[in-house]
Amino acid sequence: QVLLVQSGAEVKQPGASVKVSCKASGYTFRNYDIAWVRQAPGHGPEWMAWIRPVNGDRHSAQKFQDRVSMTTDTSTSTASLELRSLRSDDTAVYFCARANFRGPMSYWGQGTLVTVSS
Amino acid sequence: DIQMTQSPSTLSASVGDRVNITCRASQTISSWLAWYQQKPGRAPKLLIYKTSNLDSGVPSRFSGSGSGTEFTLTISTLQPDDFATYYCQQYDRYWTFGQGTKVEIK
């Protein structure tokens, strides 16, 4: 079955960077895109960024464009998201999801809690 | 950016009730609309895609309708497992979620 398994919870200080990984299994990784979504406490989900493993095409929501980087490794079926210059309002659960461009998010990782606190 | 607005924000209902949740897009999105269910501490779960198509394994009491800018999620007969928060999402131009509708026990 399709599984997306994310890395564990992180606690970071303001100004630091965090990297969240997402390991896929149960399907051909290069055939589907990966989207990154975050959800702050008590809020709805917010799309952050998208990457296409087969060719590296990517796009980020405007509010994250200066602070986010994404990579994929097709040899290990792993996608990663790095968010820089963390602020307290970046405290959220970060999800990866399988989502082809112009498609819904059909499978989700379990989420990674990132806490930004001094 | 396309904005998605859901109503109501909270809905109090009883088991057996028929429930409707509305989602409006700030511009036309054709039929590129999905609905998700989320329970506390869990990832969202896809229920419906392309406005009215049930994802695999989703009970038939869930249905979706609409087009253009106005869409509706209907739960025909509310079950205990359905108390959760529901989100709409457009995927016509990247992705945007609505702010959510919490279905709570009356």
Side-chain angles (χ1 to χ4, degrees):
Chain A
Q1 78 280 27
V2 174
L3 279 178
L4 299 172
V5 179
Q6 299 183 221
S7 50
E10 303 264 13
V11 179
K12 296 292 184 180
Q13 293 200 332
S17 299
V18 69
K19 192 169 187 177
V20 178
S21 67
C22 171
K23 184 171 176 59
S25 61
Y27 72 97
T28 302
F29 180 68
R30 61 192 295 114
N31 287 354
Y32 293 87
D33 304 342
I34 293 287
W36 290 94
V37 173
R38 76 177 187 181
Q39 188 168 27
H43 288 76
E46 177 182 30
W47 170 70
M48 298 179 66
W50 156 86
I51 189 166
R52 176 162 289 168
V54 70
N55 61 9
D57 282 354
R58 66 196 67 202
H59 186 75
S60 304
Q62 188 168 10
K63 68 181 286 187
F64 300 109
Q65 281 180 357
D66 293 340
R67 297 197 294 137
V68 76
S69 300
M70 290 175 287
T71 59
T72 59
D73 183 342
T74 54
S75 69
T76 60
S77 299
T78 301
S80 297
L81 174 85
E82 182 180 39
L83 187 62
R84 300 179 293 276
S85 303
L86 290 167
R87 309 184 289 252
S88 58
D89 63 358
D90 291 318
T91 294
V93 177
Y94 289 74
F95 295 99
C96 61
R98 195 183 88 170
N100 271 359
F101 193 72
R102 248 231 180 131
M105 296 177 184
S106 48
Y107 295 94
W108 293 66
Q110 83 277 18
T112 297
L113 175 62
V114 175
T115 303
V116 183
S117 174
S118 55
Chain B
D1 291 1
I2 300 174
Q3 308 302 318
M4 306 299 291
T5 304
Q6 283 182 238
S7 60
S9 298
T10 307
L11 190 159
S12 297
S14 302
V15 172
D17 284 355
R18 182 181 181 89
V19 165
N20 288 306
I21 299 170
T22 298
C23 179
R24 287 189 174 87
S26 60
Q27 62 191 71
T28 183
I29 57 170
S30 185
S31 296
W32 305 118
L33 191 283
W35 291 96
Y36 298 82
Q37 178 193 68
Q38 188 177 32
K39 295 184 178 179
R42 305 294 296 273
K45 173 190 172 186
L46 178 65
L47 295 176
I48 289 173
Y49 62 94
K50 206 175 178 186
T51 297
S52 59
N53 295 274
L54 262 60
D55 197 30
S56 176
V58 174
S60 59
R61 63 181 179 272
F62 291 93
S63 63
S65 62
S67 68
T69 61
E70 188 152 340
F71 302 86
T72 301
L73 172 69
T74 299
I75 309 172
S76 60
T77 308
L78 198 65
Q79 297 299 303
D81 191 49
D82 301 338
F83 292 99
T85 301
Y86 293 84
Y87 295 97
C88 63
Q89 178 205 52
Q90 69 80 20
Y91 52 94
D92 179 62
R93 179 163 175 77
Y94 299 105
W95 297 270
T96 314
F97 291 88
Q99 82 279 14
T101 295
K102 183 178 182 180
V103 177
E104 60 179 25
I105 300 173
K106 190 172 184 179

